[in-house]
C-alpha cells in the first residue's frame, strides 16, 4: 500500500483552529485597550470639551469624515477593509509609539491638554495603520493631521498656548524694535496695544494664524495627493517659519504706527488686513513649494498583509505580544504621571493689623475662568491702609495655565491700560506697574513663590519645565487713585504684602 504524506499544520497540537482564531481576534483588542488606557485622560478631555466646540467646528469635522469615506471609496476598486489581526508596519508603529512617548514626556514636563489630545489622535491613526490597507493609510494621513488640529483646538485653545505665545511674540518684537532704537516700548505694552487695537477679548498671539496655515498645508497635501516625505517636512517647517515671521512683522508694524508715528486710527484700520495679508502670502508661498513635493504613488499590493517585508519583525513570534506589552508599559507610566498630588493649599493670608481688609466675591468672568481650575485658590479683598485704598486679588496655583495677565483683565473690564513699566518696589519685589484710565488709576502685580519673585510670566512657565518653585501666587493690586511707584507708603504696603504671601507659602511647605 502506498503511503500518502499529509501536510502538517503550522498550529501546535494543543491549539485548535477555533482557539487560534480567538487569539488572532484578541491581539488587536488588547492592543487597542492598552492604547486607550494609556491615553484615558486625553479621551476624557476630548469628550468633555466636544460639547463646547462651536457648531462650525462640528460641521467641518463632519465634512472631513464624510469626505474621507467618499474619497476612499471613490478612488479604489473596493472599500478599505480591516483585518482581525494587526500587521506590524514600520510607519504606523513609529507614529503610534512616538506619539505615546512624546505625550507622556510632555505631561511630565509641561502639561498642555490640547497638545496631548493632538498626539493621541495621531497615535490612534497610527494604530489604525496596523489594521487597514497600507496605501489607504498613507494617502489619508493628512486627514488625521486635520482632525488632530481641529478637534482639540476649540475655544479653550488660547488658554493653553495663548499666554506663552503672546509673551514670546512680544519679547521678539521688543528686540526687533530695540534694533530700530525704539527701546522705550516694553513687551507688555505690545500685548496691550494689540488688545486695544483688535478690540477682542483675547489678544492676537499668532496661534490662530498658525492653526489656519497648518490646516491649509494639510488640506492642500491631501487634495493634491502629495507624498509625506522629508521634502514635505521641509515645506511644513518653512510654512511655520513664514507664519511666525508674518505675525511678528504685523505686531512690529502696528507698534511703529501706533507709538512712533502716533497714528492710532491707522493702526486700528490696518490691524486685521495685515493679519490676513500675512496669512494669505504665507499660504501662497507654501502652495508653490508644495508643487515641488512628489505625488503619492500607491504600492501595488493585492491584500492587506501579504507581500514580503510588509511586516517588520515578521518571523519573531513574540513581536506582537511585545508591542502590546510596550503599549501597556506606556499606559502604566501615563497613569503614574496622573497620580493626584496634594491639592494646592497655602496658609491663609494674614495681613498686618494696620491694613484693614474685607473679602469680596469674584466677578462673573473671574468665576468662569478660575472655575476651570478647581485646585486653584483665589482670594479677593478690598483694603484700606493709611492713604491707600483699593482691591487685591491673589491666585495660588501649581499650574502656569491658571494665570492670566492682569492687564488683559483690566481691559476686558472696561479699564483701558495707559502704560506699563517694570518697577523695583522693594529689594525683593520686581513688579509690573500699570497706569490705567488715562492715569486716573494705578495697579501693580507680580508672581511670587517661596524662593523667587518675578514680573515675567515666562519665568513662571520656566519653573514648570525645571520643576522648581512648584507653588506660585499671583498678586494683583488695583488702587482707587493714581499713584507713583516711588511713593514711600506704597513701597511699605507692597513689602508687607510680599512678606505675608511668603509666610503663607512657607506655612504650606511646613505643613507638607
Amino acid at each position: 500500500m502506498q503511503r500518502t504524506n499529509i501536510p502538517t499544520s503550522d498550529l501546535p497540537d494543543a491549539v485548535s483552529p477555533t482557539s487560534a482564531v480567538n487569539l488572532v481576534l484578541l491581539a488587536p483588542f488588547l492592543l487597542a485597550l492598552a492604547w486607550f488606557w494609556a491615553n484615558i485622560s486625553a479621551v476624557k478631555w476630548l469628550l468633555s470639551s466636544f460639547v463646547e466646540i462651536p457648531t462650525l467646528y462640528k460641521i467641518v469635522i463632519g465634512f472631513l469624515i464624510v469626505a474621507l469615506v467618499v474619497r476612499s471609496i471613490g478612488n479604489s476598486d473596493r472599500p478599505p477593509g480591516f483585518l482581525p489581526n494587526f500587521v506590524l508596519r514600520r510607519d504606523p508603529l513609529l507614529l503610534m509609539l512616538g506619539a505615546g512617548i512624546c505625550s507622556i514626556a510632555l505631561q511630565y514636563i509641561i502639561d498642555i491638554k490640547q497638545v496631548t489630545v493632538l498626539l493621541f489622535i495621531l497615535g490612534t491613526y497610527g494604530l489604525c495603520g496596523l489594521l487597514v490597507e497600507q496605501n489607504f493609510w498613507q494617502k489619508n494621513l493628512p486627514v488625521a493631521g486635520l482632525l488632530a488640529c481641529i478637534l482639540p483646538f476649540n475655544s479653550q485653545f488660547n488658554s493653553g498656548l495663548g499666554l506663552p505665545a503672546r509673551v514670546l511674540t512680544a519679547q521678539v518684537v521688543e528686540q526687533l524694535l530695540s534694533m530700530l532704537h525704539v527701546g522705550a516700548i516694553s513687551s507688555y505694552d505690545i500685548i496691550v496695544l494689540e488688545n486695544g487695537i483688535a478690540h477682542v477679548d483675547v489678544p492676537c498671539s499668532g496661534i490662530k494664524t498658525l492653526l489656519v496655515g497648518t490646516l491649509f498645508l494639510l488640506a492642500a497635501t491631501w487634495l493634491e495627493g502629495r507624498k509625506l516625505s522629508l521634502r514635505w517636512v521641509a515645506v511644513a517647517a518653512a510654512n511655520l517659519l513664514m507664519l511666525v515671521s508674518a505675525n511678528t512683522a504685523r505686531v512690529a508694524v502696528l507698534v511703529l504706527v501706533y507709538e512712533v508715528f502716533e497714528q492710532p486710527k491707522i493702526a486700528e484700520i490696518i490691524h486685521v488686513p495685515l493679519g490676513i495679508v500675512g496669512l494669505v502670502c504665507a499660504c501662497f508661498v507654501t502652495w508653490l513649494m508644495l508643487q515641488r513635493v512628489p505625488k503619492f504613488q500607491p504600492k501595488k499590493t493585492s491584500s492587506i498583509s501579504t507581500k514580503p517585508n510588509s511586516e517588520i519583525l515578521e518571523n519573531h513570534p513574540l513581536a506582537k505580544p511585545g508591542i502590546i506589552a510596550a503599549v501597556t508599559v506606556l499606559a502604566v507610566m501615563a497613569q503614574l504621571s496622573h497620580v493626584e498630588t496634594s491639592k494646592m493649599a497655602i496658609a491663609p493670608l494674614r495681613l498686618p493689623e494696620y491694613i484693614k481688609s474685607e473679602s469680596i466675591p469674584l466677578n462673573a468672568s473671574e468665576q468662569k475662568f478660575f472655575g476651570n481650575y478647581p485646585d486653584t485658590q483665589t482670594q479677593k479683598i478690598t483694603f484700606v491702609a493709611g492713604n491707600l485704598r483699593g482691591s487685591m486679588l491673589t491666585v495660588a496655583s501649581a499650574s502656569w495655565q491658571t494665570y492670566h495677565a492682569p492687564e488683559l483683565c483690566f481691559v476686558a473690564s472696561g479699564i483701558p491700560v495707559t502704560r506699563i513699566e517694570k518697577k523695583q518696589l522693594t529689594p525683593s519685589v520686581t513688579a509690573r506697574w500699570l497706569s490705567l484710565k488715562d492715569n486716573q488709576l494705578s495697579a501693580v502685580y507680580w508672581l511670587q513663590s517661596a524662593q523667587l519673585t518675578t514680573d515675567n510670566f515666562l519665568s513662571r512657565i520656566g519653573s514648570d519645565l525645571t520643576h522648581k518653585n512648584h507653588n506660585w501666587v499671583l498678586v494683583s493690586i488695583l488702587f482707587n487713585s493714581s499713584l507713583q511707584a516711588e511713593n514711600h507708603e506704597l513701597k511699605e504696603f507692597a513689602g508687607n504684602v510680599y512678606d505675608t504671601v511668603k509666610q503663607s507659602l512657607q506655612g504650606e511647605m511646613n505643613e507638607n
Side-chain angles (χ1 to χ4, degrees):
M1 182 175 66
Q2 185 177 4
R3 184 176 180 179
T4 304
N5 293 327
I6 300 175
T8 59
S9 172
D10 292 334
L11 296 175
D13 295 339
V15 180
S16 66
T18 302
S19 62
V21 172
N22 290 336
L23 290 176
V24 167
L25 294 175
L26 184 61
F29 172 78
L30 291 177
L31 180 62
L33 181 64
W35 173 253
F36 281 93
W37 181 35
N39 295 274
I40 189 64
S41 64
V43 174
K44 291 180 180 179
W45 189 93
L46 189 59
L47 293 176
S48 62
S49 65
F50 189 78
V51 180
E52 303 177 11
I53 296 179
T55 303
L56 179 61
Y57 273 75
K58 295 178 181 178
I59 294 175
V60 172
I61 293 169
F63 171 78
L64 283 175
I65 296 174
V66 172
L68 173 61
V69 175
V70 172
R71 184 179 174 88
S72 63
I73 295 177
N75 291 348
S76 59
D77 297 332
R78 58 180 181 177
F82 278 80
L83 272 186
N85 192 12
F86 61 89
V87 180
L88 297 182
R89 298 192 184 94
R90 182 191 63 186
D91 293 342
L93 191 60
L94 288 177
L95 180 60
M96 182 184 69
L97 294 180
I101 294 172
C102 290
S103 176
I104 294 175
L106 287 176
Q107 289 176 38
Y108 275 105
I109 298 173
I110 183 167
D111 190 12
I112 300 178
K113 292 299 182 184
Q114 292 90 339
V115 178
T116 303
V117 173
L118 183 148
L119 292 171
F120 161 68
I121 295 173
L122 291 178
T124 301
Y125 191 75
L127 173 63
C128 294
L130 305 178
L131 303 169
V132 300
E133 193 269 327
Q134 186 175 4
N135 289 329
F136 171 82
W137 184 86
Q138 290 181 344
K139 188 173 184 178
N140 292 289
L141 184 56
V143 179
L146 287 169
L147 291 174
C149 289
I150 292 175
L151 284 175
F153 300 144
N154 49 56
S155 59
Q156 301 181 35
F157 180 52
N158 199 75
S159 65
L161 296 174
L163 177 59
R166 289 194 304 271
V167 176
L168 282 172
T169 300
Q171 293 199 355
V172 170
V173 173
E174 183 181 20
Q175 295 302 317
L176 291 175
L177 293 175
S178 65
M179 296 172 61
L180 298 175
H181 305 289
V182 187
I185 302 175
S186 67
S187 297
Y188 279 82
D189 261 334
I190 296 171
I191 294 177
V192 174
L193 174 63
E194 276 204 287
N195 190 63
I197 293 173
H199 296 293
V200 293
D201 293 334
V202 179
C204 299
S205 59
I207 293 293
K208 291 184 179 180
T209 301
L210 290 176
L211 176 61
V212 175
T214 303
L215 291 177
F216 170 82
L217 173 60
L218 292 170
T221 301
W222 180 51
L223 293 175
E224 295 189 0
R226 302 293 174 180
K227 181 181 179 181
L228 296 184
S229 59
L230 291 178
R231 186 174 294 183
W232 184 91
V233 173
V235 173
N239 176 61
L240 178 65
L241 180 61
M242 287 187 294
L243 292 171
V244 172
S245 300
N247 183 68
T248 304
R250 174 181 64 88
V251 177
V253 169
L254 290 175
V255 172
L256 288 172
V257 173
Y258 192 98
E259 289 284 349
V260 178
F261 301 114
E262 298 181 353
Q263 297 293 332
K265 292 295 183 182
I266 296 179
E268 183 176 353
I269 292 173
I270 66 175
H271 180 275
V272 174
L274 275 180
I276 295 176
V277 169
L279 174 63
V280 171
C281 290
C283 290
F284 178 71
V285 175
T286 297
W287 179 78
L288 291 178
M289 292 189 297
L290 192 62
Q291 305 310 302
R292 306 296 299 272
V293 177
K295 290 193 174 184
F296 174 76
Q297 299 295 332
K299 296 180 181 179
K300 295 181 180 180
T301 56
S302 58
S303 68
I304 296 179
S305 60
T306 60
K307 285 292 177 185
N309 301 323
S310 65
E311 181 177 1
I312 62 175
L313 303 174
E314 186 175 15
N315 298 320
H316 293 264
L318 296 179
K320 293 178 180 178
I323 295 300
I324 296 175
V327 176
T328 303
V329 170
L330 290 179
V332 173
M333 294 177 62
Q335 301 310 311
L336 291 176
S337 69
H338 289 109
V339 173
E340 291 189 6
T341 57
S342 57
K343 291 187 176 181
M344 181 70 192
I346 65 173
L349 297 179
R350 297 178 180 177
L351 294 168
E353 293 184 359
Y354 88 95
I355 301 177
K356 308 300 180 183
S357 63
E358 181 180 352
S359 297
I360 57 175
L362 301 177
N363 59 40
S365 60
E366 291 169 341
Q367 291 178 5
K368 181 179 179 180
F369 179 79
F370 294 118
N372 295 322
Y373 306 94
D375 291 340
T376 299
Q377 285 191 354
T378 59
Q379 183 177 352
K380 192 173 184 180
I381 63 170
T382 58
F383 65 84
V384 176
N387 296 320
L388 303 178
R389 287 171 172 76
S391 61
M392 180 173 68
L393 173 66
T394 57
V395 181
S397 176
S399 171
W400 63 267
Q401 299 186 54
T402 306
Y403 300 117
H404 198 57
E407 56 263 44
L408 304 179
C409 298
F410 292 139
V411 172
S413 301
I415 305 176
V417 178
T418 306
R419 190 69 182 172
I420 302 178
E421 301 173 276
K422 184 175 183 177
K423 294 291 185 180
Q424 190 76 38
L425 298 183
T426 72
S428 302
V429 179
T430 302
R432 292 273 169 165
W433 182 261
L434 288 72
S435 299
L436 309 173
K437 206 172 181 180
D438 294 329
N439 297 319
Q440 297 180 29
L441 302 173
S442 296
V444 66
Y445 72 84
W446 67 85
L447 292 152
Q448 181 175 342
S449 70
Q451 295 84 20
L452 181 66
T453 302
T454 181
D455 66 319
N456 194 331
F457 279 92
L458 285 183
S459 299
R460 170 64 187 93
I461 297 172
S463 70
D464 275 6
L465 298 176
T466 58
H467 297 283
K468 295 179 180 179
N469 304 314
H470 186 63
N471 297 328
W472 285 76
V473 177
L474 169 65
V475 180
S476 177
I477 305 171
L478 173 63
F479 298 100
N480 291 349
S481 60
S482 178
L483 299 170
Q484 297 296 322
E486 294 75 17
N487 184 295
H488 175 74
E489 189 175 14
L490 184 145
K491 286 178 174 289
E492 182 182 0
F493 174 79
N496 285 323
V497 172
Y498 167 82
D499 292 338
T500 300
V501 173
K502 185 175 182 179
Q503 291 174 2
S504 179
L505 286 168
Q506 290 178 340
E508 179 268 339
M509 293 175 62
N510 294 333
E511 289 178 4
N512 291 339

